[in-house]
Amino acid sequence: MSGSISAQNAAEMQPSPQQTHWQDLEFGVIVHFGTNTFLDREWGDGKADPKVFNPDRVDPAQWARASRAAGAKYMVMVAKHHDGFALWPTDQSNYSVKSSPWLGGKGDLVRMASDAARKEGMEFGIYLSPWDRHEPRYANTKAYDQYYLGQMDELVQNYGPLTEWWLDGAGSAGHVYDFPKYLEELRTYQSNAMVFADMALFEYGDIRWVGTEDGHIRGENWNVIDRHGYQRWRPVEVDTPLHKLHWFWHPNDESTLKSVDELMEIWENSVGRGGQLMLGIAPDRHGLLPDADVARLEAFGKALQARYGAASNLVLKHASADPNTAKALDGDRDTFWSAPEGSHNAMLEVDLGHPVTFDRVLSMEWLDAGQHIRKYAVEIWDGHAWKAVAQAEAIGHMKIDAFPAVTAQRVRLNILSSAGAAHIREFQLFNTGVH
């Protein structure tokens, strides 16, 4: 799915079209709902009676609307968590919704979620836990591989195009899975699905885990990762729940709901650092997102638009610019400014036409040819000289640089070092008023 292993260095690695498409989605949600919801648990032991799963007002359309209001562009459904309880009527086991009283055993939550997401204009993905604490065949590696493949076949063949396949490594230490076969099966039916996996599971995933669940990318963010000498374009996904430390719904849990400010800070340190944000949402025992969660998602979406929406982009009203520069200032991600061919440093300068106050710069690198920028500075003209207000190494898909507010008419992105000619999709300025 991504750049060849034979490439000599990271600069030669290029993403697949599927990877650049996925990175442009930027923000998704992952839905946790199951027997844990009814038992006030985070970790199921595989012994829950299917009869405990009996929501009375399941409404995935509500989940999708709330997620879309927050700005999410895709939804991943946890079809089977570690407890082994399947939320679709799998033919591989009786441990599923078909053994529950919900809809008389005729329900299919994966179908409902898939249909709801697509109706709301969102893409859809599936999480199928490799670890299964219920299935007896888990103790027999080959037998369980066939079981997992059987469930995978049902999901990848019957629920439409999938944008992501989520492979959780939790609980799998010491167990050997036939991941090459799993991925062969997935690619047969869902060749465009992005495979998320912890770096410890296998080296050839399409997406990698950030390493924590607090919502932050730390340090410089490079898209090419090296695992035991195996280099691969593998962008980072940042997963974190809407509620502090809770992926599943729990009673009287409103106090753990993250504030709009906390969610904004998470977004700026995930999407704003070139990663993908995967926010966990959790329906309650009715099958509905709690009113407080819905309100918080909507408030976050509005705050995000107010801070970083097109209406707040101060660079759109720039003075006249040459056609090449204008491509980075037009708010259109399908156009981009290009440094001179063969160059290893360059400057993209904008004249705003009048002094403007701002405290954030958002830059986006065109990555189809690889991640080239290695060092850069954001500089303003103070009337006498150019002064750096921010500097770092990686830009990647997106980089938001924050600094105390400054006022200037001329601003430039000074690319101090690049592995090849740099390309910038967007260069935007914002005044958030946040210090």
Side-chain angles (χ1 to χ4, degrees), residues 43 56 59 112 144 172 175 199 214 231 233 271-272 308-309 387 422 427:
W43 295 81
D56 57 357
D59 188 5
M112 294 173 69
Y144 183 73
S172 296
H175 189 100
M199 288 298 295
D214 65 7
Q231 286 191 349
W233 186 279
V271 179
Y308 291 112
K387 174 186 175 183
F427 183 70

Side-chain angles (χ1 to χ4, degrees), residues 36-62:
N36 286 354
T37 307
F38 296 84
L39 297 172
D40 194 14
R41 293 176 176 174
E42 282 289 299
W43 295 81
D45 58 10
K47 298 176 182 178
D49 189 328
K51 292 182 174 59
V52 304
F53 186 81
N54 192 21
D56 57 357
R57 295 166 58 196
V58 173
D59 188 5
Q62 183 230 22

